Every structure is written in structure tokens, then in C-alpha cells.
Amino acid sequence: MIAEQNKTLDELAKDLNIPKSTLYKWKGQYQNPGPAVEEDPVHDHEAELEELRRQLQRTELKLANTKEELAFLKKSNAYLQPPKELIFQFMEEHRSLFPLKKMCKVLKVSRSGYYAWLSREPSAQELQKQRLMERILHHFSAS
């Protein structure tokens, strides 16, 4: 089955939703049948159940850590939230890497706000800052 589908045992275990250890065991039994020994289905199920319990425990630990990190981010958001203009600039610079809809959701801004920012003309203050920066760079390069 593995050779027919060009899949690794890991991929096949994921597709079949069974532990990798079970597939490796079956593969070993198929390749090395050995002497006919009476199998203990209860022991096999207990071993599989134990592996599933360990896997569940690891997954629950990861989930608990992720929930804790998310709670931290939610609480710190009010203190660490950058101005929307910086968020929109980030989104513009990374638009080719990430879907816009996903960035808006994660960064908690609206798509309409992003598009309005894109079409907005620079304010008088922004133009003044640009002119000042140009003068600073001119004098700096002249010295």
C-alpha cells in the first residue's frame, strides 16, 4: 500500500488516523513474519491505547501553552498596540506573504480601513516631515 501510493509511513499514519507505532509494527510483522505465535489482542490494544494517551497528553499540554500565550497577548494588546498606520504599512510590505483577510483578522483592523489608508493622500504634516527629512539627509550627505 505504501509503495503503491508513494507515501511515507508517517503520512500514511496521518491519513489513516492511527499511531505511527502501529504502522511500524505492522510493517515489521509483514516483512519478518517469524514463527507463528499466538497474538495477544488485548496487549496490542493496551499498547496502542497507552500510545494514544501519551499523544493526547502532549497535545493537551501544547493547547494549554497556546491558550496561555493567547491570553497574554490579549491582555497586553492595549499597551502594545502600534498605531494603525504602522499596522497598515506592515500589511502592505507583507501582502505577498500572507492573505490580507487573515492579516486583518489577526491584527484586528478592517479591510476597508486598510484600503482607505492605501488611497489616502499624505497629510500636510506628513509632507512637512518628508521635506524636513530630505533637508536633513541633504545636509548630512554634504558634510
Side-chain angles (χ1 to χ4, degrees):
M1 182 171 181
I2 296 169
E4 295 169 1
Q5 296 184 3
N6 291 330
K7 290 187 175 184
T8 66
L9 285 176
D10 293 343
E11 293 169 337
L12 192 58
K14 187 175 182 181
D15 289 348
L16 297 173
N17 199 22
I18 60 174
K20 292 185 282 190
S21 60
T22 302
L23 270 183
Y24 282 106
K25 178 181 170 188
W26 290 346
K27 180 183 175 192
Q29 288 172 348
Y30 177 76
Q31 290 175 339
N32 305 317
V37 177
E38 244 184 78
E39 292 187 22
D40 184 5
V42 173
H43 180 71
D44 289 345
H45 288 300
E46 287 175 356
E48 186 176 348
L49 183 60
E50 187 58 37
E51 173 64 25
L52 288 172
R53 284 185 178 136
R54 284 192 296 271
Q55 192 176 3
L56 177 61
Q57 189 176 21
R58 288 189 302 267
T59 303
E60 286 175 340
L61 182 61
K62 285 181 185 178
L63 178 60
N65 286 336
T66 303
K67 283 182 176 181
E68 185 179 32
E69 291 168 3
L70 181 60
F72 168 76
L73 288 173
K74 283 182 178 179
K75 289 191 180 278
S76 65
N77 190 34
Y79 299 102
L80 304 175
Q81 184 69 13
K84 286 196 178 187
E85 183 170 309
L86 287 178
I87 294 172
F88 293 146
Q89 286 174 353
F90 171 85
M91 290 170 63
E92 181 64 20
E93 292 169 7
H94 296 85
R95 192 166 179 197
S96 63
L97 298 173
F98 306 108
L100 184 66
K101 186 176 183 180
K102 181 70 82 175
M103 284 194 291
C104 287
K105 181 179 179 184
V106 170
L107 298 172
K108 296 183 180 168
V109 294
S110 66
R111 280 190 288 175
S112 61
Y114 169 75
Y115 287 119
W117 173 82
L118 272 181
S119 62
R120 191 175 299 139
E121 294 293 323
S123 68
Q125 185 179 14
E126 288 175 23
L127 292 173
Q128 184 180 4
K129 284 181 182 179
Q130 285 177 350
R131 286 191 298 269
L132 181 58
M133 184 58 72
E134 289 170 7
R135 287 181 58 199
I136 291 170
L137 290 174
H138 172 73
H139 288 295
F140 179 75
S141 63
S143 60

